[in-house]
Amino acid sequence: MLKLRHVSYAFGSHWVLKNVSFEVEPGEFVFLFGPSGAGKTTLLRVLHGSLSLQRGGAHVAGFDLSRLTKRMVPKLRRAVSVVFQEFKVLPHKTVRENVALPMLVRGIPRAQMERRTNAICRVLRLENRMNLPCRGLSGGEQQRVAIARAVVTNPYLLLSDEPTGNLDDELSTRLLEIFKQFNQFGTTIFLATHNRRLLEQVPQAKVLHLEDGYCE
Ligand SMILES: Nc1ncnc2c1ncn2[C@@H]1O[C@H](COP(=O)(O)OP(=O)(O)OP(=O)(O)O)[C@@H](O)[C@H]1O
Ligand SMILES: [Mg+2]
């Protein structure tokens, strides 16, 4: 599902990722664990094709990132769902519209789209926010909208950047339970966090430690 070999990445002369190598098998639950500034978001952005590979080799969900052309990026983005640290929900669209968007793009029939949107919003306790524009929601609610939008298509691979950053303890626990369920149904989970408590909640998960750009 993921295979990195000696990946390094620099912003100008500042090397943020240093010779990172690891593999993730389909169906694994993996934490990318490391302190603030370690390079977690940068690594996720490389995996998602929003930063181009500078050094090393990487395969993501069957895509060879060293051969990724601009035209292939939308295909990669359909195979790989991502929840960004800063959510990126569309502020003027409603919760319902935000969550349905990836299904609209894929041409999923309307009835099925509505069924799935309602179901995932219920799971994430957004059912009475469905018709409100996202700009009026709290940070934690917007984060849950971003998560609903990312999982609503049953992705093969879910990349998630600090998904519980704005959630209280109860919602964080609940969210990890949801991720575990998706994982049991076959979604590979790759979750970046600096919060050690999350690791304790998924004891069977693999933990990759990222520190100052080095991964082990
Ligand atoms: N666009 C950028 N331009 C220059 N430097 C950057 C850029 N993005 C990140 N960096 C630098 O790269 C390093 C790693 O940042 P990154 O955001 O990947 O860390 P992180 O592990 O996600 O941290 P956090 O837990 O705080 O989200 C930091 O030193 C940061 O200043
Ligand atoms: Mg980050």
Side-chain angles (χ1 to χ4, degrees), residues 11 14 16 35-42 85 194:
F11 291 104
H14 175 200
V16 172
S36 179
K40 302 182 296 295
T41 297
T42 304
Q85 200 164 5
H194 51 64

Side-chain angles (χ1 to χ4, degrees), residues 192-203:
T193 186
H194 51 64
N195 184 352
R196 190 177 293 278
R197 285 199 310 105
L198 299 190
L199 274 56
E200 291 161 6
Q201 283 183 51
V202 195

